[in-house]
Amino acid sequence: MARQDACTLLDDDHDEAIRLFEQYKAAHDARHQQTLASRISQALTVHMQIEEEIFYPAFLRATGDQSLLKDALREHQDARELIAKIEADRQNARLVLELEDAMLHHVNDERDKMFPKARATPGLDLMELADLLEARKTELMAAA
């Protein structure tokens, strides 16, 4: 059972991705960078999936804000395209840094716009959503 709300749980994922990108930039060994690129790809893929399966539909039902959701989904699509390129060429640091930039923009959008709106919306049970997100993330990570 989650001890934090859905927004905090998702933001913890954001912080973990940021840490992985920092480790990637600090790594001087190509093999270690490739391993980190894979970890980044996996973490972001799982994160986007739980947002799209659980958080975004609940957010849309509760807020009716299609504009924020449309932007978030477009950003996810952009990230997926970069992840596919990285998986095909794990030695391409430029792609990893491009993914980092895209992810940071997305994180800021969620932190500044979506999460505050979610927290201010009556009827959106963020604690229950956190439990669902956490369970699904555990399931997806075990399958990876």
Side-chain angles (χ1 to χ4, degrees):
M1 199 168 193
R3 291 165 290 192
Q4 54 196 359
D5 76 18
C7 297
T8 302
L9 186 136
L10 292 171
D11 216 23
D12 286 350
D13 282 356
H14 296 156
D15 290 341
E16 176 61 20
I18 290 167
R19 280 190 292 278
L20 288 171
F21 280 113
E22 291 302 319
Q23 289 175 21
Y24 178 88
K25 291 186 290 190
H28 299 293
D29 174 72
R31 193 166 158 181
H32 186 56
Q33 282 185 321
Q34 290 173 12
T35 300
L36 287 166
S38 291
R39 286 181 59 202
I40 290 166
S41 295
Q42 179 190 26
L44 291 179
T45 299
V46 167
H47 175 79
M48 289 185 293
Q49 187 169 341
I50 66 172
E51 280 187 329
E52 291 170 9
E53 287 180 4
I54 299 167
F55 185 75
Y56 289 171
F59 177 83
L60 182 60
R61 281 191 304 274
T63 67
D65 193 330
Q66 293 184 8
S67 178
L68 277 178
L69 187 62
K70 182 179 158 190
D71 287 345
L73 291 171
R74 180 187 42 74
E75 291 169 349
H76 278 194
Q77 184 55 40
D78 293 346
R80 278 192 176 86
E81 290 170 11
L82 283 167
I83 288 169
K85 290 177 183 176
I86 290 166
E87 288 299 308
D89 182 8
R90 289 195 187 129
Q91 295 182 31
N92 191 332
R94 181 189 56 77
L95 290 172
V96 176
L97 298 178
E98 197 174 323
L99 178 61
E100 179 186 32
D101 287 343
M103 195 246 358
L104 289 173
H105 176 80
H106 178 71
V107 165
N108 288 333
D109 280 351
E110 287 189 341
R111 286 178 176 168
D112 296 343
K113 300 171 189 168
M114 187 174 273
F115 292 166
K117 188 165 193 169
R119 286 186 170 120
T121 300
L124 185 56
D125 188 342
L126 294 175
M127 297 305 285
E128 179 185 340
L129 279 178
D131 290 340
L132 295 171
L133 289 164
E134 196 169 61
R136 183 64 173 137
K137 179 180 176 182
T138 299
E139 184 180 299
L140 291 169
M141 293 301 280

